[in-house]
Amino acid sequence: MITMDDIIREGNPTLRAVAKEVPIPPTAEDVELGNEMLQFLKNSQDPVKAEELHLRGGVGLAAPQLDISKRIIAVHVPSTDPEKPESSLSTVMYNPKVLSHSVQEACLGEGEGCLSVDREVPGYVVRAARITVSYFDAEGEAHKVRLKNYEAIVVQHEIDHINGIMFYDHINDQNPLHLKDGVLVID
Ligand SMILES: O=CN(O)CCNC(=O)c1cccc(Cl)c1Cl
Ligand code: NI
């Protein structure tokens, strides 16, 4: 079971490496890893388990954060619509790729955080508002999905990780809270 001890922190060069594509269909080992990554996210969002296991909450996780330089990400984005309590996006993506993205940009009003960053880094992380992502699932099936708003932001944060990019690389150092016209703020 993945715990915080398995997550590497800033300074570990793996976080700045470009991760390697994995064979498709994924090996049994990579399927197991993906399942453990998704389970970690679910545990981190369960108040009892998070407390018990001392987990920081997460809605996404990338294999490089476990010092595994492979292009595998997991996302478990809870639904923000009380009418639809089931998760809005919960999956493991193998070799994810952004095929296209909107010109329109978006950011989370409260900024972003990262389990590999043991500090608050204030500022807007401006990203594409909508993306089209291709990926393979655990069975080796190809998928192409269009994502928007929070889901799109999270997947971009994770795909950044497999490309050695940290969320604060996108923050405007001169004025972290500067927003150009037209950037959608997601709360
Ligand atoms: O790479 C994944 N993590 O570091 C897990 C912890 N961070 C989050 O869950 C998180 C928090 C805020 C905004 C975004 Cl976009 C994300 Cl992803
Ligand atoms: Ni992160």
Side-chain angles (χ1 to χ4, degrees):
M1 171 184 64
I2 296 172
T3 67
M4 294 306 294
D5 294 343
D6 301 304
I7 294 177
I8 62 172
R9 311 298 157 93
E10 289 177 287
N12 187 315
T14 305
L15 287 173
R16 286 302 189 181
V18 175
K20 279 187 71 178
E21 291 211 329
V22 297
I24 300 300
T27 61
E29 181 191 8
D30 287 346
V31 171
E32 171 59 23
L33 172 61
N35 290 339
E36 286 196 49
M37 289 166 67
L38 192 55
Q39 190 57 51
F40 169 85
L41 295 174
K42 292 175 182 175
N43 293 343
S44 80
Q45 293 173 30
D46 175 315
V48 174
K49 289 192 181 146
E51 159 88 25
E52 200 176 287
L53 298 165
H54 309 293
L55 306 181
R56 263 183 69 189
V59 289
L61 193 67
Q65 293 182 275
L66 303 170
D67 209 8
I68 300 172
S69 200
K70 292 182 177 179
R71 303 182 81 80
I72 305 171
I73 69 172
V75 291
H76 188 68
V77 184
S79 158
T80 48
D81 175 354
E83 267 76 67
K84 290 187 288 179
E86 71 288 343
S87 171
S88 65
L89 179 66
S90 181
T91 195
V92 181
M93 298 183 179
Y94 295 88
N95 301 338
K97 186 172 176 4
V98 177
L99 296 179
S100 62
H101 62 82
S102 60
V103 170
Q104 174 160 44
E105 296 176 313
C107 65
L108 297 184
E110 76 271 17
E112 296 187 11
C114 185
L115 293 180
S116 299
V117 179
D118 291 329
R119 59 196 171 100
E120 292 281 317
V121 184
Y124 292 125
V125 181
V126 178
R127 299 184 184 276
R130 292 175 299 283
I131 55 175
T132 300
V133 181
S134 64
Y135 68 90
F136 294 92
D137 64 20
E139 289 71 39
E141 294 296 312
H143 295 260
K144 187 158 87 165
V145 293
R146 292 172 59 81
L147 301 171
K148 63 181 182 183
N149 300 332
Y150 190 35
E151 295 173 0
I153 298 286
V154 173
V155 169
Q156 289 175 81
H157 178 115
E158 301 318 324
I159 291 179
D160 268 357
H161 272 306
I162 61 177
N163 290 325
I165 297 165
M166 302 294 280
F167 75 90
Y168 46 72
D169 297 344
H170 300 284
I171 295 174
N172 176 327
D173 290 337
Q174 271 58 48
N175 180 347
L177 295 176
H178 170 71
L179 270 184
K180 289 180 293 182
D181 289 349
V183 177
L184 187 68
V185 178
I186 299 164
D187 288 315

